[in-house]
Amino acid sequence: MIDRPARDLDEDSSPTSWPGMEPHRGAHVGGQPERIPLPDVTTPEPSEHHATSRRHAAAKRASGAGSLLRETVIILVSAIVLSLLVKTFLVQAFFIPSQSMHDTLIEHDRILVSKLTPGPFDLRRGDIVVFKDPGGWLPSDVAPDPGALQGAINSALTFIGLYPADANEHLVKRLIGLPGDHVAADPGGPVTVNGVALDEPYLAAGVTPSDIAFDITVPANSIWVMGDNRSHSSDSRYNQGNPGGGSVPVANVVGMAFVTVWPIERFGLLRNPTSTFADVPDQP
């Protein structure tokens, strides 16, 4: 019989595992398997874990605050741009500084003016219009100085349309005569346009249609305007010695007032009295 050689201990006869250690993967030392320690997995100290959590929370809050700030800036800039566009092309706010348009408009009323008239829409007799001073209509009194800071804020808000324009350069009156119209009146009598006497229901209580005589033909590209409070209105009648002979160039017209928005108890539409001018023919 041929004896089979005995197998080395490092082959099948070796134990598959030892208590407390990994199965043998390496060389033997002195006939015993090498003990390979298990990896040391260290759990972070609680304080380190909390510090990491706090840093993550702080970073998240900072990111949220930055996002909110960006959104706020975008909203504000968009609102300013939109307001500027509206003010430039569509609607502008003004306030009334004087009694010349009683009782239709009174002091400190806030009105909105459509800048689509003149433009896409034509001016009509009876419209309430806001226009730039053609020259010499407004008194030379200097308005009280609000201070450098307040003045700058008011100017900026007015420019972008968030604050009503004052009357330093603008006036508000009612359009009576269009280009080419023949407008006339005698003291105490009615105003006539192209020979038709006007019944003017918008006049202030107790005032006459005109306390001075005038007789004019409105120049081309101009309009004739009068206040509803005729006894207290420095309108076209009283500016015949100024540039334009009392007429206002259409190019100076900012727009047509269409609503009173403030104070709230005076909120209402400013309607054109179409019946007053219904029988007036076109200019002869």
Side-chain angles (χ1 to χ4, degrees), residues 113-136:
V113 172
S114 169
K115 305 190 84 169
L116 299 176
T117 306
F121 302 103
D122 294 330
L123 291 166
R124 299 181 299 165
R125 303 180 187 97
D127 286 344
I128 297 174
V129 293
V130 172
F131 56 94
K132 291 183 178 179
D133 184 356

Side-chain angles (χ1 to χ4, degrees), residues 154-281:
N154 290 350
S155 297
L157 293 177
T158 300
F159 175 74
I160 63 178
L162 297 178
Y163 188 79
D166 57 26
N168 289 339
E169 298 180 356
H170 298 86
L171 301 97
V172 56
K173 307 290 180 188
R174 191 176 296 274
L175 193 162
I176 301 298
L178 292 169
D181 281 348
H182 176 216
V183 186
D186 291 320
V191 173
T192 64
V193 179
N194 297 337
V196 175
L198 302 180
D199 178 15
E200 302 182 275
Y202 43 76
L203 294 181
V207 304
T208 59
S210 182
D211 48 11
I212 64 170
F214 64 92
D215 189 327
I216 62 97
T217 297
V218 183
N221 301 316
S222 298
I223 57 175
W224 184 265
V225 296
M226 300 173 73
D228 289 357
N229 191 6
R230 299 285 163 81
S231 300
H232 298 85
S233 177
S234 180
D235 50 34
S236 290
R237 299 169 297 164
Y238 293 96
N239 287 281
Q240 295 182 68
N242 288 321
S247 296
V248 177
V250 171
N252 283 43
V253 178
V254 175
M256 178 195 70
F258 67 95
V259 65
T260 304
V261 295
W262 192 263
I264 192 65
E265 62 270 15
R266 287 187 49 77
F267 178 86
L269 295 177
L270 299 171
R271 302 183 184 278
N272 182 291
T274 54
S275 60
T276 297
F277 299 90
D279 296 331
V280 175

Side-chain angles (χ1 to χ4, degrees), residues 15-241:
T16 58
S17 64
W18 292 77
M21 66 169 58
E22 289 277 20
H24 173 65
R25 295 284 191 274
H28 293 178
V29 179
Q32 298 293 328
E34 181 183 3
R35 294 174 179 264
I36 301 177
L38 294 173
D40 183 16
V41 180
T42 304
T43 303
E45 293 293 333
S47 58
E48 180 182 348
H49 175 72
H50 292 163
T52 302
S53 299
R54 287 196 297 270
R55 285 195 296 270
H56 289 168
K60 186 175 181 180
R61 287 195 298 270
S63 176
S67 177
L68 178 60
L69 179 61
R70 286 193 298 271
E71 292 178 2
T72 302
V73 170
I74 291 172
I75 291 172
L76 288 177
V77 171
S78 300
I80 290 173
V81 171
L82 179 61
S83 179
L84 181 59
L85 291 174
V86 169
K87 176 249 181 180
T88 302
F89 299 106
L90 297 177
V91 175
Q92 187 171 357
F94 289 86
F95 70 79
I96 306 301
S98 72
Q99 58 180 324
S100 68
M101 285 295 291
H102 279 205
D103 295 321
T104 307
L105 300 171
I106 63 175
E107 294 89 334
H108 310 301
D109 277 356
R110 265 61 170 175
I111 60 174
L112 295 182
V113 172
S114 169
K115 305 190 84 169
L116 299 176
T117 306
F121 302 103
D122 294 330
L123 291 166
R124 299 181 299 165
R125 303 180 187 97
D127 286 344
I128 297 174
V129 293
V130 172
F131 56 94
K132 291 183 178 179
D133 184 356
W137 286 47
L138 289 169
S140 57
D141 297 345
V142 179
D145 185 2
L149 178 59
Q150 188 61 47
I153 293 174
N154 290 350
S155 297
L157 293 177
T158 300
F159 175 74
I160 63 178
L162 297 178
Y163 188 79
D166 57 26
N168 289 339
E169 298 180 356
H170 298 86
L171 301 97
V172 56
K173 307 290 180 188
R174 191 176 296 274
L175 193 162
I176 301 298
L178 292 169
D181 281 348
H182 176 216
V183 186
D186 291 320
V191 173
T192 64
V193 179
N194 297 337
V196 175
L198 302 180
D199 178 15
E200 302 182 275
Y202 43 76
L203 294 181
V207 304
T208 59
S210 182
D211 48 11
I212 64 170
F214 64 92
D215 189 327
I216 62 97
T217 297
V218 183
N221 301 316
S222 298
I223 57 175
W224 184 265
V225 296
M226 300 173 73
D228 289 357
N229 191 6
R230 299 285 163 81
S231 300
H232 298 85
S233 177
S234 180
D235 50 34
S236 290
R237 299 169 297 164
Y238 293 96
N239 287 281
Q240 295 182 68

